[in-house]
């Protein structure tokens, strides 16, 4: 789900884990689905995908797609998209291709899809080729890169405070750093900066759909991938076969209600990321305090005492960092670590306890690299910023962010400070996207959309999933009563079963269905992920 200073950090740490409700279930007839309307096919050449094993012995195939920089001028400059595929494991029962976007903006699908492949439902893996790609501007595709060398990028990153600024001197340094980044980016490739929007990527996705020979799109998008999916549905409503949107961004928050007026709040504050992060952090502390230190190292023997301990630790770090661990850096680490419950919450508790004892925590081990040509592509902040800042309006006065921070902190504590500054780079960003889809969002799609929302999500509030259902013409909400960012990487066998049935044959969960996660935080047991309300789920169904 951020500038992704925040999303960049999460991608690197957790890449392995990376207006009406319809009243009856709808059945999809595999690939032979009728199309209701839709936009005419663009006069853009369909890319040719020459698949070959990503690396010797890899189960994943890779290809490169050429797409126009400007879809309105298909004869002009072209960009390259890195694409990855895992073939259906039961080819005799293959239905088609499932396209996956891992979020961000700025998530490299060629890395994160292979790393998260086993988290897709078993039947989906059996019956679909699963395809992902690095969106334009990102990773191994034609990328936004505002530095001449990796050393130059590292020097820039080290020149600003970690997490967010905490005093006037740090605020000045923070703002100056992003002004410098904007200057560098404008000098390197200003034309590219104007053509990395969500709309551009949605048009690329339609070209990829055509390139693999699919008449209609089957899609799963998580976090930022939900606004990409909603944009595709607005542009190509007749081409939607099935679409799972997991951990949603409210389209009105993303577009500032389609207004060009100077916004008073950042994208993330409009979404309510500050409030939902604060609520999730509070649940982390309450659940930690409700168990023993054997299950949560930071426990102080009760919820209230553990909350107090956390507040005291933050106050201590404000006065005196522990090694490189500052107050702001620790808050950023805490919010990031709430994304993935297992092992993220347990590991976070251990780091907080180390800091409480005055010891600098050991850095987390990186996930194993997937078998792709470039498992660690450059993922500088400017890549996600190019999408966010060019696409979604944010306040343009750097001096306004401190007041926003204080207001957010009054309602959301430390998490409010973090989420305010997560979009500060947009204040001086040098480009606005040339092609921005800003609605309408309620065009009737050929088939209904499945929207999944988690109740305690540190980035995209459950209310955003509710808003997505209200905005779309034909969508069903599946509630995931649990924790973390996305149901995909915080498994519920109940959610998995509903998603699998929907993707395979279009069966929607009954209205009001609520699932639970398989394993609660700090739990030594593994209960099945059952249905809390609404009926129709399959508790304990195989993932």
């Amino acid at each position: 789900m951020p500038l992704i200073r925040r999303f960049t950090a999460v991608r690197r740490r957790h890449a392995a884990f990376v207006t009406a409700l319809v009243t009856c279930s709808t059945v999809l007839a595999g690939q032979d689905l009728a199309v209701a309307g839709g936009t005419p096919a663009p006069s853009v050449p369909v890319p040719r995908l020459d698949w070959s094993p990503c690396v010797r012995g890899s189960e994943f195939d890779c290809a490169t797609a050429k797409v126009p920089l400007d879809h309105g001028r298909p004869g002009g400059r072209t960009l390259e998209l890195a694409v990855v595929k895992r073939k259906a494991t039961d080819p005799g029962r293959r239905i088609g291709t499932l396209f996956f976007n891992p979020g961000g903006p700025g998530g490299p699908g060629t890395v994160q899809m292979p790393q998260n492949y086993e988290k897709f439902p078993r039947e989906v893996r059996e019956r679909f080729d699963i395809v992902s790609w690095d969106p334009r501007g990102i990773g191994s595709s034609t990328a936004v890169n505002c530095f001449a060398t990796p050393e130059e990028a590292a020097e820039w990153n080290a020149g600003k405070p970690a997490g967010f600024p905490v005093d006037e001197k740090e605020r000045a340094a923070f703002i100056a750093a992003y002004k410098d980044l904007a200057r560098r980016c404008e000098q390197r490739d200003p034309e590219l900066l104007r053509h990395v929007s969500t709309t551009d990527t949605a048009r690329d996705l339609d070209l990829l759909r055509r390139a693999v020979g699919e008449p209609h799109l089957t899609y799963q998008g998580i976090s930022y991938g939900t606004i990409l999916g909603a944009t595709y549905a607005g542009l190509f409503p007749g081409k939607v076969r099935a679409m799972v949107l997991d951990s949603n961004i409210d389209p009105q928050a993303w577009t500032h209600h389609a207004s060009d007026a100077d916004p008073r709040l950042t994208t993330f504050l409009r979404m309510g990321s500050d409030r939902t992060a604060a609520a999730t952090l509070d649940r982390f502390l309450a659940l930690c305090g409700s168990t023993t230190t054997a299950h949560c190292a930071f426990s102080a023997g009760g919820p209230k005492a553990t909350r107090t301990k956390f507040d005291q630790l933050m106050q201590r770090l404000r006065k005196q960092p522990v090694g490189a661990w500052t107050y702001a850096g620790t808050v950023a680490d805490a919010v990031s670590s709430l994304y993935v419950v297992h092992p993220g919450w347990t590991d976070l508790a251990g780091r907080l306890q180390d800091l409480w004892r005055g010891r600098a925590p050991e850095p987390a081990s990186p996930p194993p690299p997937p078998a792709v040509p470039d498992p660690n592509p450059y993922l500088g902040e400017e890549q996600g910023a190019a999408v966010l800042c060019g696409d979604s309006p944010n306040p343009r006065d750097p001096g306004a962010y401190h007041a926003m921070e204080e207001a957010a902190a009054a309602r959301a504590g430390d998490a409010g400070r973090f989420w305010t500054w997560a979009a500060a780079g947009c204040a001086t960003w040098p480009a606005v996207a040339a092609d921005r889809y800003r609605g309408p969002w309620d065009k009737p799609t050929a088939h209904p959309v499945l929207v999944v929302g988690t109740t305690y999500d540190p980035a995209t509030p459950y209310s955003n999933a509710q808003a997505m259902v209200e905005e779309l013409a034909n969508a069903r909400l599946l509630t995931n009563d649990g924790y973390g960012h996305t149901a995909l990487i915080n498994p519920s066998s109940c959610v998995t079963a509903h998603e699998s049935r929907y993707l395979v044959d279009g069966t929607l969960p009954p209205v009001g269905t609520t699932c639970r996660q398989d394993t609660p935080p700090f739990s030594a047991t593994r209960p099945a992920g059952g249905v809390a309300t609404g009926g129709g789920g399959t508790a304990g169904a195989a993932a």
Side-chain angles (χ1 to χ4, degrees):
M1 308 115 170
L3 178 97
I4 309 194
R5 290 177 300 99
R6 144 98 222 75
F7 277 129
T8 299
V10 170
R11 289 201 307 271
R12 287 171 178 164
R13 177 175 300 156
H14 299 305
F17 303 104
V18 179
T19 302
L21 290 172
V22 292
T23 57
C24 61
S25 294
T26 302
V27 176
L28 308 183
Q31 288 182 284
D32 299 320
L33 298 174
V35 177
T39 57
S43 57
V44 177
V46 176
R48 177 177 174 176
L49 298 175
D50 293 324
W51 298 105
S52 61
C54 293
V55 296
R56 182 176 296 179
S58 175
E59 295 177 311
F60 295 90
D61 294 324
C62 287
T64 300
K66 287 192 175 182
V67 296
L69 171 76
D70 183 348
H71 283 268
R73 301 176 60 193
R77 176 181 170 185
T78 61
L79 306 178
E80 291 189 345
L81 303 181
V83 190
V84 67
K85 175 176 69 174
R86 178 69 184 267
K87 293 178 182 177
T89 59
D90 188 351
R93 299 170 64 234
R94 179 183 177 276
I95 293 172
T97 300
L98 170 67
F99 284 91
F100 171 68
N101 179 274
T110 61
V111 176
Q112 293 186 331
M113 187 276 277
Q115 286 179 322
N116 290 291
Y117 173 76
E118 295 296 333
K119 295 187 180 295
F120 289 94
R122 176 183 52 79
E123 189 171 13
V124 171
R125 287 182 274 124
E126 288 175 347
R127 304 195 67 184
F128 289 91
D129 297 344
I130 300 179
V131 171
S132 192
W133 75 108
D134 292 1
R136 55 173 60 209
I138 309 302
S140 295
S141 293
T142 301
V144 174
N145 185 343
C146 303
F147 300 95
T149 65
E151 292 76 20
E152 196 175 276
E155 183 180 359
W156 175 85
N157 192 61
K160 60 181 177 57
F164 53 87
V166 296
D167 57 30
E168 186 174 354
K169 181 179 178 181
E170 287 194 355
R171 285 192 293 273
F174 205 77
I175 291 167
Y178 284 103
K179 283 184 178 178
D180 178 53
L181 181 65
R183 177 187 59 79
R184 292 172 183 268
C185 292
E186 191 171 28
Q187 289 176 346
R188 295 275 289 187
D189 194 344
E191 186 182 36
L192 180 60
L193 299 184
R194 297 180 65 248
H195 292 283
V196 292
S197 72
T198 305
T199 303
D200 291 312
T201 294
R203 297 190 190 280
D204 291 343
L205 174 56
D206 197 58
L207 288 178
L208 293 174
R209 172 191 66 79
R210 296 169 66 199
V212 299
E214 293 292 344
H216 316 104
L217 179 73
T218 304
Y219 173 81
Q220 182 166 350
I222 62 176
S223 192
Y224 164 78
T226 63
I227 198 68
L228 172 59
T231 299
Y232 183 95
L235 292 170
F236 308 100
K239 295 298 183 182
V240 175
R241 176 193 175 273
M243 182 174 284
V244 175
L245 305 180
D246 176 3
S247 292
N248 289 252
I249 294 175
D250 178 356
Q252 298 296 346
W254 181 262
T255 63
H256 188 224
H257 293 270
S259 172
D260 286 323
D262 189 36
R264 294 185 302 107
L265 297 175
T266 70
T267 303
F268 303 124
L269 297 184
R270 291 195 300 268
M271 287 168 53
S273 299
D274 56 332
R275 289 185 173 95
T276 194
T280 307
L281 178 60
D282 184 72
R283 292 300 297 158
F284 164 84
L285 295 170
L287 293 171
C288 179
S290 298
T291 190
T292 65
T293 54
H295 294 299
C296 180
F298 194 65
S299 176
K304 183 177 180 180
T306 305
R307 291 186 184 104
T308 299
K309 182 179 178 181
F310 181 82
D311 290 341
Q312 290 174 343
L313 175 60
M314 295 304 105
Q315 292 167 9
R316 279 167 39 182
L317 290 172
R318 273 181 174 269
K319 297 176 183 177
Q320 182 62 53
V322 177
W325 288 77
T326 63
Y327 155 70
T330 303
V331 170
D333 176 72
V335 175
S336 301
S337 299
L338 295 173
Y339 275 46
V340 184
V341 174
H342 301 290
W345 286 32
T346 301
D347 292 349
L348 171 61
R351 289 194 296 277
L352 292 174
Q353 184 63 15
D354 283 342
L355 291 168
W356 180 258
R357 293 174 173 171
R359 300 192 307 232
E362 292 294 323
S365 300
V372 295
D374 188 0
N376 291 293
Y378 176 71
L379 297 173
E381 284 186 33
E382 66 268 34
Q383 294 183 3
V387 181
L388 172 70
C389 303
D391 216 41
S392 182
N394 281 273
R396 300 292 293 176
D397 176 12
Y401 282 74
H402 181 45
M404 276 190 288
E405 173 196 2
E406 293 303 323
R411 64 177 176 258
D414 299 315
R417 300 186 186 280
F418 168 79
W419 276 114
T420 299
W421 289 99
C426 293
T428 51
W429 189 254
V432 174
D435 191 4
R436 290 183 292 164
Y437 184 82
R438 299 191 291 179
W441 303 99
D442 60 351
K443 293 181 182 179
T445 48
H447 298 93
V449 175
L450 178 60
V451 173
V452 182
T454 298
T455 50
Y456 287 97
D457 181 324
T460 55
Y462 177 69
S463 60
N464 278 216
Q466 295 173 309
M468 181 67 85
V469 171
E470 292 174 1
E471 288 291 331
L472 298 177
N474 191 6
R476 178 69 53 83
L477 177 63
L478 175 61
T479 298
N480 179 33
D481 183 9
Y483 307 92
H485 186 50
T486 82
L488 178 69
I489 58 176
N490 295 284
S492 161
S493 55
C494 169
V495 170
T496 296
H498 283 301
E499 288 182 345
S500 183
R501 282 200 297 268
Y502 167 73
L503 289 170
V504 168
D505 63 22
T507 302
L508 288 165
V511 173
T513 299
T514 297
C515 292
R516 300 188 187 97
Q517 288 176 326
D518 290 348
T519 309
F522 310 122
S523 173
T525 60
R526 183 177 172 81
V531 176
T533 61
T538 53

